[in-house]
Amino acid sequence: MDALRPMTEADLVDIIAAAVADRVPLAPTGQGTKAGIGRPVQHPRLELGGLGGVTLYEPEELVVSVRAGTPVDDVVALLAAKNQELAFEPPRWRTPDGRASRGTIGGLVAANLSGPRRFKAGAVRDHILGVKGVSGRAEAFKAGGRVVKNVTGYDLARGLAGSWGTLAVLTEVTFKVLPKAETEMTLAVAGLGFARAVEALAGVLHLSVDVSSAAHLPAAGAEGSFAEEARTLLRLEGFAASVQARAEVVARHLSGFGPVERLEAEASGQIWADIRDLGAGLAVGEALWRVSIPPAAAAAFADRLAGLEPRRMAFDWSGGLVWLRLDGALPDLGADVIRAAIAATGGGHATLISGPAEARGRIAVFEPQPPPLAALSRRLKDQFDPAGILNPGRMWAGV
Amino acid sequence: MTLVQMPVPDAATLAHRDEIIAGLGRILPKSRMVVDERGLKPWESDALTAYAQLPLVVVLPETTEEVSRILAFCHAHDVKVVPRGAGTSLSGGALPLADGVLMSMMRFNRILDIDFANRAVVAQPGVTNLGLTRAVEHRGFYYAPDPSSQLACSIGGNVAENSGGVHSLKYGLTTNNVLGLEMVLMTGEVVRLGGKHLDSDGYDLLALMTGSEGLLAVITEVTVRILKAPETARAVLVAFSSSDNAADAVADIIAAGIIPGGMEMMDHPAINAAEDFVHVGYPRDAEALLIVELDGPPVEVDDLIARVEAIVKARGAVDCRISTSDAERLAFWAGRKAAFPAVGRISPDYLCMDGTIPRKAISEVLRRMRELSADYGLRVANVFHAGDGNLHPLILYDANKPGELERAEAFGADILRLCVAVGGVLTGEHGVGVEKRDLMGTMFNEVDLAHQMRVKCAFDAKQLLNPGKMFPELHRCAELGRMRVHAGQLRFPDLPRF
Ligand SMILES: Cc1cc2nc3c(=O)[nH]c(=O)nc-3n(C[C@H](O)[C@H](O)[C@H](O)COP(=O)(O)OP(=O)(O)OC[C@H]3O[C@@H](n4cnc5c(N)ncnc54)[C@H](O)[C@@H]3O)c2cc1C
């Protein structure tokens, strides 16, 4: 079957009904920027680009409703014109074949992948107020609303974030938006090793300075986009006077670790955009892991990876998010070593963001779940998609 | 009992009460069970006291193992279970069932781990909300969501209700501050979600659990994020001669890119009730009072205070006081924090409503509420989280006057319908429970509700955990599971294919 392209919600209901009747699995797809994530599936694409457009934007209410096929860039531009933003900093990744990012809102929510400010401002899911969608039962439903405080029923709107199109096809998402900060500044120290860097980052969290992003970029290899030397970065955002005052406090703290460099607004914005998009643009033959761990475990976690000889590592979220680039020829792409390191240093999860398709079919792309949790996930899938037509096998084999 | 009817108790369960108690007695010592009628009496209500029901039996487990065994036992014998924290729910979420075991989680009262390096605290669910902050404040940290009931309510109850507080405007609700849970399913299976790391990989069951009102699983451990307290906080107390002006000022502050630590509003009746109670010098003749708190480094707070002052003056504020000390800031808050008990003094009974509306609708909804108040012949006082449009109209009534409770409930239902009609929702933080159960249809159609109930079916297929709450009708999971897709009716063959 070729790709299907619904132009209305009614089309979508019909397509899913037909797929249920014929037991044809579908792969809901925005622009395919994340098609390389997850277990490889060969289902016909259900292209959602036709379901685009902003249905409501009330800047003074800090709310925007967007159809799922709308490119994230368009929404970002619309909000920027009113000096507002999606505070979780949506990453803008390219497609696996290198085309520029035109990733959609639906894909953003389905993947729940957030940028550096997630550390302070929350993830994609934290900014979702409501959704509309069609489940694998070919029924259109809504959940949530358009106001920030809402506990009317289960929080299904947030609950669908990160479900990779396996429970329902989203048609519209309502987000809370926030005013952009007046300005930002990044303070950087060069040349720190892991342990010292984690110490520098952790210490700042004990000061009342409201850091909005905190990262450590170890020294890069020759082909890296980052400087030769390791850099430890802390970002402050807000009203100008406040940023200045807090920068003094942070600089004093960091001066114990080395000379402190200040990146003013533009340079600061650029470096965090680069960090935000670390998941993009991977060399062929490499594997990329995204690992979430307790931030203070970062150095201990890194120590346990020595045998893998990572080509590149980067630590965002004050150490809580680790990007790991490995040789794509490793038999299990390092899965066992990485997951053992997570288990030994305080828990978390590793997701394979990119790697050869053959390997993605063999190893667990998402963190394996203990039996009662896996069974619960499967029951949820069966409730929303009893015929198993929405992206079956994308997250877990047979689910 | 008034408008909302609870499901008819199961006769077989009632008939087997002795055997059920004996079975539970093999899991728990007698000292941690309540079986006699006098002992059961204090458990008959939560804070929605208009509803009362003696439970079948009360159990007080202390370990996850005990919770697991009790649930497995009840699952095997088809006995319903109602989890209960501190019993401060305002929506009847912890209302007992005549044929149900009431499981109090308040023996789970220990903080298990304070991890400053990871900015996380692991606590048992019976620890109070304020208990979390108390445990970390010596190092300048706090737990951000601060419901007014924080001295009493449990963190387990907060997760179950997705509670908010004054500071949620800037720092989020419970759902934005919980990192992990341990929970026990009705089958007795123990499941852990999240931990000290961020985000879930796999379905976001943490999101579904937060606000699940005790219907999905019993929470036995909670990991929360703690924050470093801001360096300073100052408050502005502003009086207006019209609530329209106050509402406009709220909108202007947000539009100026300012997200205050808290932004609360009170109307004329609430101002006076509070002033009578705490005597902090609220302007009695004001129609509306706004409290705006700014927090952060001193330079930022000073800067923002000046901006807020300019905005409220431009909107015709008749009085604007700026706190110059922490004592003064707390005095500004004292009346707001005591608003519920203050209203309790001027009326024998009151119902506390909890709708949320878009901010722009505040003055319209307040005006309609005054009309409804005249129609129903019942007074209403308003205190609310203006920054996020979360209203708490307090409807004053006297339960001893025949028909007044029913009138108050009808008035409340009209207010909530009004909230939905202007683009808002039935409940912002108190939960659906029994109170708003039968109004769910004003916000959700049958298909919407069926999808929510299917979440329930994934967690609790026998529907034994806290039934009769949240959903207006109980549908069997088998019935909800049936697919109603008919290939004959499809428009699909005409669709363009690429
Ligand atoms: C004076 C007053 C002021 C209040 N102010 C606010 C406020 O500002 N903001 C706000 O959001 N709320 C407020 N509330 C409401 C109430 O305090 C909150 O809903 C609170 O979170 C309930 O916690 P609890 O421990 O008392 O739970 P309970 O009332 O005992 O239970 C509430 C619900 O949670 C479930 N539950 C409890 N513990 C568990 C568990 N361990 N596992 C699974 N389910 C469980 C119960 O089944 C029930 O459905 C107020 C209440 C009062 C009386």
Side-chain angles (χ1 to χ4, degrees), chain A residues 2 61 118 125-126 135 137 142 149 166 208 242 292 296 351 379, chain B residues 118 176 198-199 201 203 229 300 360 429 448 451 458 481 498:
Chain A
D2 302 317
E61 294 284 330
R118 188 268 172 263
R125 62 87 107 165
D126 291 292
S135 69
R137 317 180 70 96
K142 67 172 177 306
K149 281 180 98 173
T166 63
S208 294
S242 167
S292 177
T351 313
R379 289 199 298 274
Chain B
N118 285 309
N176 311 111
L198 296 175
D199 294 347
D201 143 298
Y203 297 143
E300 175 175 336
K360 65 178 178 194
E429 56 182 17
D448 303 335
H451 279 84
F498 296 85

PDB file of all heavy atoms in Angstrom, chain A residues 2 61 118 125-126 135 137 142 149 166 208 242 292 296 351 379, chain B residues 118 176 198-199 201 203 229 300 360 429 448 451 458 481 498:
ATOM      1  N   ASP A   2       0.476   2.275  -0.700  1.00  0.00           N
ATOM      2  CA  ASP A   2       1.232   3.523  -0.724  1.00  0.00           C
ATOM      3  C   ASP A   2       0.916   4.358   0.504  1.00  0.00           C
ATOM      4  O   ASP A   2       0.065   4.005   1.298  1.00  0.00           O
ATOM      5  CB  ASP A   2       0.867   4.329  -1.985  1.00  0.00           C
ATOM      6  CG  ASP A   2       1.136   3.525  -3.240  1.00  0.00           C
ATOM      7  OD1 ASP A   2       2.194   2.891  -3.297  1.00  0.00           O
ATOM      8  OD2 ASP A   2       0.264   3.536  -4.125  1.00  0.00           O
ATOM      9  N   GLU A  61      -3.356  35.004  26.590  1.00  0.00           N
ATOM     10  CA  GLU A  61      -3.764  33.856  27.412  1.00  0.00           C
ATOM     11  C   GLU A  61      -2.658  32.812  27.485  1.00  0.00           C
ATOM     12  O   GLU A  61      -2.819  31.765  28.120  1.00  0.00           O
ATOM     13  CB  GLU A  61      -5.017  33.203  26.823  1.00  0.00           C
ATOM     14  CG  GLU A  61      -6.265  34.076  26.862  1.00  0.00           C
ATOM     15  CD  GLU A  61      -6.872  34.154  28.258  1.00  0.00           C
ATOM     16  OE1 GLU A  61      -6.740  33.189  29.028  1.00  0.00           O
ATOM     17  OE2 GLU A  61      -7.471  35.197  28.573  1.00  0.00           O
ATOM     18  N   ARG A 118      14.726  22.001  29.246  1.00  0.00           N
ATOM     19  CA  ARG A 118      13.862  21.012  29.885  1.00  0.00           C
ATOM     20  C   ARG A 118      14.206  20.879  31.375  1.00  0.00           C
ATOM     21  O   ARG A 118      13.349  20.711  32.227  1.00  0.00           O
ATOM     22  CB  ARG A 118      14.058  19.648  29.200  1.00  0.00           C
ATOM     23  CG  ARG A 118      13.080  18.569  29.637  1.00  0.00           C
ATOM     24  CD  ARG A 118      13.573  17.715  30.787  1.00  0.00           C
ATOM     25  NE  ARG A 118      12.517  16.832  31.265  1.00  0.00           N
ATOM     26  CZ  ARG A 118      11.754  17.122  32.318  1.00  0.00           C
ATOM     27  NH1 ARG A 118      11.903  18.240  32.977  1.00  0.00           N
ATOM     28  NH2 ARG A 118      10.816  16.291  32.728  1.00  0.00           N
ATOM     29  N   ARG A 125       5.795  17.339  27.308  1.00  0.00           N
ATOM     30  CA  ARG A 125       4.548  16.926  27.946  1.00  0.00           C
ATOM     31  C   ARG A 125       4.096  17.902  29.030  1.00  0.00           C
ATOM     32  O   ARG A 125       2.909  18.048  29.288  1.00  0.00           O
ATOM     33  CB  ARG A 125       4.656  15.503  28.488  1.00  0.00           C
ATOM     34  CG  ARG A 125       5.698  15.268  29.554  1.00  0.00           C
ATOM     35  CD  ARG A 125       5.163  15.549  30.915  1.00  0.00           C
ATOM     36  NE  ARG A 125       4.930  14.354  31.706  1.00  0.00           N
ATOM     37  CZ  ARG A 125       4.741  14.373  33.013  1.00  0.00           C
ATOM     38  NH1 ARG A 125       4.799  15.520  33.682  1.00  0.00           N
ATOM     39  NH2 ARG A 125       4.492  13.269  33.658  1.00  0.00           N
ATOM     40  N   ASP A 126       5.039  18.561  29.685  1.00  0.00           N
ATOM     41  CA  ASP A 126       4.670  19.497  30.739  1.00  0.00           C
ATOM     42  C   ASP A 126       3.961  20.724  30.187  1.00  0.00           C
ATOM     43  O   ASP A 126       3.347  21.484  30.940  1.00  0.00           O
ATOM     44  CB  ASP A 126       5.902  19.926  31.531  1.00  0.00           C
ATOM     45  CG  ASP A 126       6.451  18.781  32.365  1.00  0.00           C
ATOM     46  OD1 ASP A 126       5.771  18.380  33.318  1.00  0.00           O
ATOM     47  OD2 ASP A 126       7.529  18.263  32.038  1.00  0.00           O
ATOM     48  N   SER A 135      -7.901   7.235  17.921  1.00  0.00           N
ATOM     49  CA  SER A 135      -7.232   6.054  18.452  1.00  0.00           C
ATOM     50  C   SER A 135      -7.264   4.937  17.432  1.00  0.00           C
ATOM     51  O   SER A 135      -7.899   5.044  16.382  1.00  0.00           O
ATOM     52  CB  SER A 135      -7.911   5.601  19.743  1.00  0.00           C
ATOM     53  OG  SER A 135      -9.198   5.100  19.439  1.00  0.00           O
ATOM     54  N   ARG A 137      -8.939   2.564  17.533  1.00  0.00           N
ATOM     55  CA  ARG A 137     -10.318   2.078  17.431  1.00  0.00           C
ATOM     56  C   ARG A 137     -11.083   2.864  16.379  1.00  0.00           C
ATOM     57  O   ARG A 137     -12.295   2.738  16.275  1.00  0.00           O
ATOM     58  CB  ARG A 137     -11.019   2.216  18.777  1.00  0.00           C
ATOM     59  CG  ARG A 137     -10.177   1.792  19.958  1.00  0.00           C
ATOM     60  CD  ARG A 137     -10.925   1.941  21.255  1.00  0.00           C
ATOM     61  NE  ARG A 137     -11.973   0.960  21.308  1.00  0.00           N
ATOM     62  CZ  ARG A 137     -11.865  -0.213  21.915  1.00  0.00           C
ATOM     63  NH1 ARG A 137     -10.787  -0.516  22.578  1.00  0.00           N
ATOM     64  NH2 ARG A 137     -12.851  -1.074  21.893  1.00  0.00           N
ATOM     65  N   LYS A 142     -11.114  13.658  22.370  1.00  0.00           N
ATOM     66  CA  LYS A 142     -10.295  14.749  22.883  1.00  0.00           C
ATOM     67  C   LYS A 142      -9.979  14.493  24.348  1.00  0.00           C
ATOM     68  O   LYS A 142     -10.680  13.727  25.010  1.00  0.00           O
ATOM     69  CB  LYS A 142     -11.010  16.094  22.707  1.00  0.00           C
ATOM     70  CG  LYS A 142     -12.250  16.240  23.550  1.00  0.00           C
ATOM     71  CD  LYS A 142     -12.798  17.658  23.489  1.00  0.00           C
ATOM     72  CE  LYS A 142     -14.084  17.809  24.276  1.00  0.00           C
ATOM     73  NZ  LYS A 142     -15.156  16.877  23.938  1.00  0.00           N
ATOM     74  N   LYS A 149      -4.628  24.957  34.533  1.00  0.00           N
ATOM     75  CA  LYS A 149      -5.023  24.117  35.663  1.00  0.00           C
ATOM     76  C   LYS A 149      -6.261  23.327  35.296  1.00  0.00           C
ATOM     77  O   LYS A 149      -7.333  23.894  35.093  1.00  0.00           O
ATOM     78  CB  LYS A 149      -5.254  24.978  36.898  1.00  0.00           C
ATOM     79  CG  LYS A 149      -3.933  25.357  37.543  1.00  0.00           C
ATOM     80  CD  LYS A 149      -4.118  26.185  38.743  1.00  0.00           C
ATOM     81  CE  LYS A 149      -4.061  25.387  40.012  1.00  0.00           C
ATOM     82  NZ  LYS A 149      -4.085  26.298  41.170  1.00  0.00           N
ATOM     83  N   THR A 166       1.760   5.013  18.769  1.00  0.00           N
ATOM     84  CA  THR A 166       1.312   3.627  18.934  1.00  0.00           C
ATOM     85  C   THR A 166      -0.034   3.505  19.626  1.00  0.00           C
ATOM     86  O   THR A 166      -0.602   2.422  19.668  1.00  0.00           O
ATOM     87  CB  THR A 166       2.337   2.798  19.738  1.00  0.00           C
ATOM     88  OG1 THR A 166       2.443   3.360  21.052  1.00  0.00           O
ATOM     89  CG2 THR A 166       3.711   2.806  19.076  1.00  0.00           C
ATOM     90  N   SER A 208      20.941  30.249  44.800  1.00  0.00           N
ATOM     91  CA  SER A 208      19.630  30.713  44.328  1.00  0.00           C
ATOM     92  C   SER A 208      19.789  31.536  43.059  1.00  0.00           C
ATOM     93  O   SER A 208      19.534  32.734  43.041  1.00  0.00           O
ATOM     94  CB  SER A 208      18.956  31.578  45.406  1.00  0.00           C
ATOM     95  OG  SER A 208      18.661  30.804  46.529  1.00  0.00           O
ATOM     96  N   SER A 242      18.515  41.175  36.299  1.00  0.00           N
ATOM     97  CA  SER A 242      18.553  39.940  37.067  1.00  0.00           C
ATOM     98  C   SER A 242      19.650  39.008  36.541  1.00  0.00           C
ATOM     99  O   SER A 242      20.392  38.395  37.317  1.00  0.00           O
ATOM    100  CB  SER A 242      17.191  39.262  36.985  1.00  0.00           C
ATOM    101  OG  SER A 242      17.252  37.953  37.461  1.00  0.00           O
ATOM    102  N   SER A 292      19.076   9.074  30.000  1.00  0.00           N
ATOM    103  CA  SER A 292      18.601   9.925  31.092  1.00  0.00           C
ATOM    104  C   SER A 292      18.945   9.261  32.415  1.00  0.00           C
ATOM    105  O   SER A 292      18.563   8.117  32.661  1.00  0.00           O
ATOM    106  CB  SER A 292      17.081  10.119  30.968  1.00  0.00           C
ATOM    107  OG  SER A 292      16.605  10.891  32.048  1.00  0.00           O
ATOM    108  N   ALA A 296      23.656  13.690  39.289  1.00  0.00           N
ATOM    109  CA  ALA A 296      24.892  13.519  40.056  1.00  0.00           C
ATOM    110  C   ALA A 296      25.593  12.206  39.724  1.00  0.00           C
ATOM    111  O   ALA A 296      26.727  11.965  40.147  1.00  0.00           O
ATOM    112  CB  ALA A 296      24.595  13.608  41.559  1.00  0.00           C
ATOM    113  N   THR A 351      17.909   5.333  25.255  1.00  0.00           N
ATOM    114  CA  THR A 351      17.148   5.172  24.021  1.00  0.00           C
ATOM    115  C   THR A 351      18.116   5.308  22.856  1.00  0.00           C
ATOM    116  O   THR A 351      18.900   6.261  22.800  1.00  0.00           O
ATOM    117  CB  THR A 351      16.085   6.284  23.905  1.00  0.00           C
ATOM    118  OG1 THR A 351      15.398   6.392  25.147  1.00  0.00           O
ATOM    119  CG2 THR A 351      15.082   5.971  22.798  1.00  0.00           C
ATOM    120  N   ARG A 379      -1.197  -3.713  27.951  1.00  0.00           N
ATOM    121  CA  ARG A 379      -2.657  -3.612  28.154  1.00  0.00           C
ATOM    122  C   ARG A 379      -3.161  -2.242  27.702  1.00  0.00           C
ATOM    123  O   ARG A 379      -4.242  -2.120  27.138  1.00  0.00           O
ATOM    124  CB  ARG A 379      -3.016  -3.859  29.631  1.00  0.00           C
ATOM    125  CG  ARG A 379      -2.853  -5.297  30.074  1.00  0.00           C
ATOM    126  CD  ARG A 379      -3.640  -5.592  31.351  1.00  0.00           C
ATOM    127  NE  ARG A 379      -3.203  -4.796  32.487  1.00  0.00           N
ATOM    128  CZ  ARG A 379      -2.195  -5.128  33.301  1.00  0.00           C
ATOM    129  NH1 ARG A 379      -1.509  -6.246  33.100  1.00  0.00           N
ATOM    130  NH2 ARG A 379      -1.877  -4.348  34.321  1.00  0.00           N
TER     131      ARG A 379
ATOM    132  N   ASN B 118      20.999  15.423  43.686  1.00  0.00           N
ATOM    133  CA  ASN B 118      20.088  15.226  42.551  1.00  0.00           C
ATOM    134  C   ASN B 118      18.803  16.044  42.696  1.00  0.00           C
ATOM    135  O   ASN B 118      17.868  15.853  41.920  1.00  0.00           O
ATOM    136  CB  ASN B 118      19.756  13.743  42.396  1.00  0.00           C
ATOM    137  CG  ASN B 118      20.920  12.974  41.797  1.00  0.00           C
ATOM    138  OD1 ASN B 118      21.452  13.366  40.769  1.00  0.00           O
ATOM    139  ND2 ASN B 118      21.335  11.907  42.460  1.00  0.00           N
ATOM    140  N   ASN B 176       4.150  18.418  37.354  1.00  0.00           N
ATOM    141  CA  ASN B 176       5.411  18.958  36.853  1.00  0.00           C
ATOM    142  C   ASN B 176       6.552  18.791  37.860  1.00  0.00           C
ATOM    143  O   ASN B 176       7.683  19.168  37.584  1.00  0.00           O
ATOM    144  CB  ASN B 176       5.251  20.443  36.516  1.00  0.00           C
ATOM    145  CG  ASN B 176       4.024  20.720  35.675  1.00  0.00           C
ATOM    146  OD1 ASN B 176       3.063  21.333  36.128  1.00  0.00           O
ATOM    147  ND2 ASN B 176       4.018  20.224  34.458  1.00  0.00           N
ATOM    148  N   LEU B 198      15.008  12.270  34.588  1.00  0.00           N
ATOM    149  CA  LEU B 198      13.887  12.965  33.973  1.00  0.00           C
ATOM    150  C   LEU B 198      13.269  12.147  32.841  1.00  0.00           C
ATOM    151  O   LEU B 198      13.971  11.399  32.161  1.00  0.00           O
ATOM    152  CB  LEU B 198      14.346  14.313  33.408  1.00  0.00           C
ATOM    153  CG  LEU B 198      14.862  15.335  34.422  1.00  0.00           C
ATOM    154  CD1 LEU B 198      15.389  16.574  33.704  1.00  0.00           C
ATOM    155  CD2 LEU B 198      13.773  15.727  35.410  1.00  0.00           C
ATOM    156  N   ASP B 199      11.978  12.342  32.639  1.00  0.00           N
ATOM    157  CA  ASP B 199      11.240  11.800  31.491  1.00  0.00           C
ATOM    158  C   ASP B 199      11.116  10.283  31.518  1.00  0.00           C
ATOM    159  O   ASP B 199      11.939   9.585  32.094  1.00  0.00           O
ATOM    160  CB  ASP B 199      11.883  12.224  30.160  1.00  0.00           C
ATOM    161  CG  ASP B 199      11.791  13.723  29.944  1.00  0.00           C
ATOM    162  OD1 ASP B 199      11.030  14.381  30.690  1.00  0.00           O
ATOM    163  OD2 ASP B 199      12.481  14.232  29.047  1.00  0.00           O
ATOM    164  N   ASP B 201      10.724   6.683  29.285  1.00  0.00           N
ATOM    165  CA  ASP B 201      10.969   6.135  27.962  1.00  0.00           C
ATOM    166  C   ASP B 201      10.032   4.955  27.937  1.00  0.00           C
ATOM    167  O   ASP B 201      10.082   4.093  28.748  1.00  0.00           O
ATOM    168  CB  ASP B 201      12.470   5.831  27.874  1.00  0.00           C
ATOM    169  CG  ASP B 201      12.862   4.598  27.120  1.00  0.00           C
ATOM    170  OD1 ASP B 201      12.475   3.493  27.530  1.00  0.00           O
ATOM    171  OD2 ASP B 201      13.599   4.730  26.155  1.00  0.00           O
ATOM    172  N   TYR B 203       5.568   4.460  27.717  1.00  0.00           N
ATOM    173  CA  TYR B 203       4.385   5.303  27.937  1.00  0.00           C
ATOM    174  C   TYR B 203       4.526   6.127  29.213  1.00  0.00           C
ATOM    175  O   TYR B 203       5.102   5.674  30.197  1.00  0.00           O
ATOM    176  CB  TYR B 203       3.128   4.429  27.994  1.00  0.00           C
ATOM    177  CG  TYR B 203       2.853   3.693  26.712  1.00  0.00           C
ATOM    178  CD1 TYR B 203       2.346   2.395  26.722  1.00  0.00           C
ATOM    179  CD2 TYR B 203       3.119   4.286  25.485  1.00  0.00           C
ATOM    180  CE1 TYR B 203       2.111   1.716  25.533  1.00  0.00           C
ATOM    181  CE2 TYR B 203       2.884   3.610  24.301  1.00  0.00           C
ATOM    182  CZ  TYR B 203       2.388   2.323  24.328  1.00  0.00           C
ATOM    183  OH  TYR B 203       2.158   1.657  23.153  1.00  0.00           O
ATOM    184  N   ALA B 229      15.178  27.641  47.124  1.00  0.00           N
ATOM    185  CA  ALA B 229      14.259  28.754  47.358  1.00  0.00           C
ATOM    186  C   ALA B 229      14.808  30.035  46.749  1.00  0.00           C
ATOM    187  O   ALA B 229      16.021  30.261  46.759  1.00  0.00           O
ATOM    188  CB  ALA B 229      14.042  28.945  48.859  1.00  0.00           C
ATOM    189  N   GLU B 300      15.923  41.885  40.593  1.00  0.00           N
ATOM    190  CA  GLU B 300      14.814  41.483  39.735  1.00  0.00           C
ATOM    191  C   GLU B 300      13.479  41.800  40.392  1.00  0.00           C
ATOM    192  O   GLU B 300      12.567  42.346  39.772  1.00  0.00           O
ATOM    193  CB  GLU B 300      14.909  39.978  39.439  1.00  0.00           C
ATOM    194  CG  GLU B 300      13.716  39.460  38.654  1.00  0.00           C
ATOM    195  CD  GLU B 300      13.850  37.988  38.256  1.00  0.00           C
ATOM    196  OE1 GLU B 300      14.979  37.492  38.164  1.00  0.00           O
ATOM    197  OE2 GLU B 300      12.807  37.347  38.025  1.00  0.00           O
ATOM    198  N   LYS B 360      -9.231  35.885  30.297  1.00  0.00           N
ATOM    199  CA  LYS B 360     -10.002  36.987  29.713  1.00  0.00           C
ATOM    200  C   LYS B 360     -11.477  36.910  30.107  1.00  0.00           C
ATOM    201  O   LYS B 360     -12.207  37.893  29.967  1.00  0.00           O
ATOM    202  CB  LYS B 360      -9.868  36.974  28.193  1.00  0.00           C
ATOM    203  CG  LYS B 360     -10.494  35.741  27.567  1.00  0.00           C
ATOM    204  CD  LYS B 360     -10.421  35.742  26.059  1.00  0.00           C
ATOM    205  CE  LYS B 360     -11.029  34.428  25.544  1.00  0.00           C
ATOM    206  NZ  LYS B 360     -10.766  34.127  24.188  1.00  0.00           N
ATOM    207  N   GLU B 429      -8.063  21.843  40.315  1.00  0.00           N
ATOM    208  CA  GLU B 429      -7.119  21.177  41.218  1.00  0.00           C
ATOM    209  C   GLU B 429      -7.788  20.281  42.257  1.00  0.00           C
ATOM    210  O   GLU B 429      -7.103  19.490  42.888  1.00  0.00           O
ATOM    211  CB  GLU B 429      -6.221  22.217  41.918  1.00  0.00           C
ATOM    212  CG  GLU B 429      -6.988  23.280  42.688  1.00  0.00           C
ATOM    213  CD  GLU B 429      -6.099  24.349  43.342  1.00  0.00           C
ATOM    214  OE1 GLU B 429      -4.934  24.455  42.937  1.00  0.00           O
ATOM    215  OE2 GLU B 429      -6.582  25.049  44.245  1.00  0.00           O
ATOM    216  N   ASP B 448     -15.013  10.410  24.224  1.00  0.00           N
ATOM    217  CA  ASP B 448     -13.914  10.932  25.066  1.00  0.00           C
ATOM    218  C   ASP B 448     -13.851  10.153  26.380  1.00  0.00           C
ATOM    219  O   ASP B 448     -12.779   9.735  26.828  1.00  0.00           O
ATOM    220  CB  ASP B 448     -14.136  12.413  25.421  1.00  0.00           C
ATOM    221  CG  ASP B 448     -14.281  13.310  24.207  1.00  0.00           C
ATOM    222  OD1 ASP B 448     -13.774  12.939  23.135  1.00  0.00           O
ATOM    223  OD2 ASP B 448     -14.903  14.391  24.344  1.00  0.00           O
ATOM    224  N   HIS B 451     -12.577   6.623  26.152  1.00  0.00           N
ATOM    225  CA  HIS B 451     -11.114   6.501  26.074  1.00  0.00           C
ATOM    226  C   HIS B 451     -10.475   6.646  27.449  1.00  0.00           C
ATOM    227  O   HIS B 451      -9.481   6.000  27.744  1.00  0.00           O
ATOM    228  CB  HIS B 451     -10.540   7.495  25.059  1.00  0.00           C
ATOM    229  CG  HIS B 451     -10.649   7.000  23.649  1.00  0.00           C
ATOM    230  ND1 HIS B 451     -11.785   7.150  22.901  1.00  0.00           N
ATOM    231  CD2 HIS B 451      -9.790   6.298  22.873  1.00  0.00           C
ATOM    232  CE1 HIS B 451     -11.603   6.574  21.714  1.00  0.00           C
ATOM    233  NE2 HIS B 451     -10.405   6.059  21.674  1.00  0.00           N
ATOM    234  N   ALA B 458      -7.054  -0.751  31.539  1.00  0.00           N
ATOM    235  CA  ALA B 458      -5.682  -1.260  31.430  1.00  0.00           C
ATOM    236  C   ALA B 458      -5.072  -1.468  32.819  1.00  0.00           C
ATOM    237  O   ALA B 458      -4.297  -2.392  33.030  1.00  0.00           O
ATOM    238  CB  ALA B 458      -4.819  -0.290  30.625  1.00  0.00           C
ATOM    239  N   GLY B 481     -14.325  -2.741  25.477  1.00  0.00           N
ATOM    240  CA  GLY B 481     -13.281  -3.289  24.617  1.00  0.00           C
ATOM    241  C   GLY B 481     -13.775  -3.610  23.216  1.00  0.00           C
ATOM    242  O   GLY B 481     -12.994  -3.682  22.285  1.00  0.00           O
ATOM    243  N   PHE B 498      -1.052   8.110  -2.507  1.00  0.00           N
ATOM    244  CA  PHE B 498       0.196   8.607  -3.099  1.00  0.00           C
ATOM    245  C   PHE B 498       1.196   7.484  -3.180  1.00  0.00           C
ATOM    246  O   PHE B 498       1.248   6.651  -2.314  1.00  0.00           O
ATOM    247  CB  PHE B 498       0.753   9.754  -2.262  1.00  0.00           C
ATOM    248  CG  PHE B 498      -0.146  10.946  -2.242  1.00  0.00           C
ATOM    249  CD1 PHE B 498      -1.194  11.039  -1.331  1.00  0.00           C
ATOM    250  CD2 PHE B 498       0.010  11.971  -3.171  1.00  0.00           C
ATOM    251  CE1 PHE B 498      -2.029  12.127  -1.326  1.00  0.00           C
ATOM    252  CE2 PHE B 498      -0.843  13.055  -3.155  1.00  0.00           C
ATOM    253  CZ  PHE B 498      -1.862  13.137  -2.240  1.00  0.00           C
TER     254      PHE B 498
END
